[in-house]
Amino acid sequence: MLIAVDPGHGGKDPGAVVDGYKEKDINLNVALKLRDILTKNGIDVIMTRDKDKTVDLQQRCDIANKAHANYFISIHCNSFQDPSASGTETYAYPGSVDGRNLAQYVQNEIVKMLGTKDRGVKYEKFYVLKYTDMPAILVELAFMSNPHDLKLLLEKDELFAEAISRGLENFLKTTFTGEEMAIQKLKMKGIIDKIHDTKSYVTWGEFASVIIKVLEGMK
Ligand SMILES: [Zn+2]
């Protein structure tokens, strides 16, 4: 299982700026913490950026597509002229069933764990949702322009990361069986070369080549 984590903006593009706080920094904070949590839980992660640098939207899609990531999670913060606007919303590409489901699980956990206003799952043809090959979501964690939300974004970054991770893992549990997850992991480690049906049989030839790969990997 490979998850592409995309911290929005970066480098020359700060995203929203409120009271001197830049969206690009909050996005990266949460994204790096999400990477660490997922990695600890045995899920592989590829980042579209892991420091403050400029990455254009097509590059972000290319990184995920070339790595054949299974899912793509873009992390952003919202902002609006009216400071009373607040809460969390998660976007999926119109018509993407997997995207919609993943978005709903992540949305639910953030609202539950952070107590943010539930603005729901929405559908937009955002660039990174459109040009990624895999189901993709874009999370607007909360509003930087709302004082209460901004405080959460600055102080509870770890909790936002934990919520996204739990939402993703709840989604994966409903989508894949334990056996399917195990096959995904073997493929990620290069021990098998494709995703096999969990009920299909293994020949002695395939069994031998798997054992050799495991032994060679252990040297
Ligand atoms: Zn943004």
Side-chain angles (χ1 to χ4, degrees):
M1 182 60 56
L2 179 65
I3 307 298
V5 175
D6 174 45
H9 313 284
K12 285 183 289 186
D13 169 17
V17 181
V18 175
D19 296 343
Y21 296 108
K22 299 185 179 94
E23 183 194 344
K24 66 175 183 177
D25 298 326
I26 297 174
N27 296 341
L28 183 60
N29 266 343
V30 173
L32 290 175
K33 290 191 162 80
L34 174 61
R35 175 192 66 185
D36 293 346
I37 294 166
L38 292 177
T39 306
K40 200 178 73 202
N41 294 352
I43 294 174
D44 293 289
V45 173
I46 183 166
M47 305 288 293
T48 59
R49 68 178 178 101
D50 58 4
K51 52 181 177 295
D52 183 21
K53 70 170 190 178
T54 307
V55 187
D56 73 34
L57 295 176
Q58 186 58 48
Q59 283 175 301
R60 292 167 196 261
C61 299
D62 289 344
I63 289 167
N65 293 344
K66 281 188 188 135
H68 302 292
N70 298 90
Y71 297 96
F72 183 95
I73 300 177
S74 187
I75 296 175
H76 287 256
C77 303
N78 233 327
S79 173
F80 194 59
Q81 303 96 304
D82 179 353
S84 70
S86 72
T88 302
E89 56 196 30
T90 306
Y91 288 87
Y93 194 73
S96 165
V97 174
D98 278 338
R100 179 193 70 201
N101 288 337
L102 175 57
Q104 190 66 63
Y105 276 97
V106 168
Q107 173 75 14
N108 290 352
E109 283 305 311
I110 294 177
V111 168
K112 191 168 88 188
M113 291 180 68
L114 276 301
T116 48
K117 181 179 172 195
D118 187 358
R119 302 173 67 90
V121 169
K122 301 182 176 183
Y123 306 93
E124 282 288 346
K125 294 179 179 175
F126 289 142
Y127 198 96
V128 294
L129 301 182
K130 182 167 183 182
Y131 293 102
T132 42
D133 298 337
M134 65 292 307
I137 63 170
L138 186 148
V139 190
E140 296 278 6
L141 300 170
F143 278 72
M144 290 179 66
S145 48
N146 176 270
H148 174 77
D149 272 14
L150 180 61
K151 196 167 185 297
L152 287 178
L153 289 166
L154 295 172
E155 292 175 6
K156 303 285 183 192
D157 48 343
E158 176 93 40
L159 209 54
F160 276 103
E162 187 68 46
I164 298 169
S165 151
R166 283 197 203 175
L168 170 67
E169 288 175 59
N170 288 344
F171 165 81
L172 292 176
K173 271 182 226 153
T174 64
T175 307
F176 299 103
T177 64
E179 289 181 346
E180 285 169 333
M181 289 295 285
I183 286 176
Q184 291 261 8
K185 280 188 186 173
L186 284 185
K187 175 159 184 295
M188 282 308 305
K189 291 182 187 303
I191 292 169
I192 56 175
D193 57 8
K194 64 179 176 117
I195 302 295
H196 296 275
D197 183 335
T198 53
K199 300 281 182 282
S200 67
Y201 292 99
V202 176
T203 65
W204 273 101
E206 289 165 334
F207 177 70
S209 71
V210 164
I211 295 296
I212 292 295
K213 278 184 188 154
V214 171
L215 290 174
E216 284 175 346
M218 283 161 61
K219 268 184 208 158

